[in-house]
Amino acid sequence: MNDTMIYVFKITFMPVKDIIAPPFTSKLSFTILREILDANLKKLIDRIHELKEPLKPYRISLIFNWEGRPMYNTQYSKKILTLRQGENYSFTATLLLRNTYSSPIIPRSHINVGLTQIEITEIDVIVKSFKDFMSNNEYNEVFKLIFLTPTLLSAKLCLPPRVRVETSFNVYRLFPQPCLWLRSLVLYWNKYAPRELKFRDGYRLCRLGDVLLAETGYNVRPVTVVYGKGGRVIEHRGFVGWIKYRVVEEWFAKRIAPLLRLAELVGVGRSRSIGFGHVIVEYGDS
């Protein structure tokens, strides 16, 4: 069986006319992505999109404006999100695929979006593998984790593997406890990585995060957003902001380094496939 390859797309575009965007703009990102994917990939992502299983093998980001800020509305916001004519916008998409695609994108200069068009100005494609993450020996004992979009970390993530809680209700933490975001990454990694690269001590590693990651600064605030799906409107309350860590033990910094690289491509927490939990990592004391 082929190893899973990680395709990362960055699409930059310019509206021909103003576009009224949905309150959570990853819906528009998904529409644009479908129009430029290879026909076989389009069918695949449509099929995956309808699945109800967790940890889907893709992440579609929100749209970012020319200042690099994600576009979404919070609860009670009356602002209408508008993509302005002639301005540059971008989004990223990460697809985890077992087959190799030499030409995953169909080159197109213009795409119809509703009653108007957008001009595709640039498409960048990077292909990674889990082996790439492991073979990179760089690590840093000081890093800053920046949560660009609302992040949903369920308290259930830190339950011991054999413990089950019979409830459909999720309690989302409003502070990035290390065990929670590490666990969300380990579960994702172990679902798609080759057998020989899986974390055998994943739960223990995550619990150690609460001991071996020392917070040295943070600026985190709660935020509630509304996301509509299947005719239902659902409120999600998570957090955005940043937190800075110092790793107490060097060996732990080495162990979690591949997970931090993965985090920047797939995000952390729940509903990352539709743009929640989008993170970037900055290293060092800067």
Side-chain angles (χ1 to χ4, degrees), residues 239-268:
F239 64 87
V240 294
W242 57 265
I243 186 164
K244 195 169 185 178
Y245 293 106
R246 178 176 58 85
V247 188
V248 176
E249 296 286 349
E250 182 181 9
W251 68 266
F252 192 75
K254 294 178 181 178
R255 288 297 308 280
I256 68 172
L259 295 172
L260 293 175
R261 297 182 191 110
L262 178 68
E264 294 197 280
L265 303 185
V266 302
V268 300

Side-chain angles (χ1 to χ4, degrees), residues 51-77:
L51 295 177
K52 294 184 179 180
E53 66 180 55
L55 306 177
K56 292 180 180 179
Y58 70 85
R59 191 278 300 272
I60 313 296
S61 82
L62 275 69
I63 289 173
F64 286 70
N65 65 15
W66 62 275
E67 295 178 311
R69 296 179 180 176
M71 299 182 67
Y72 63 93
N73 266 348
T74 57
Q75 186 187 35
Y76 306 127
S77 174

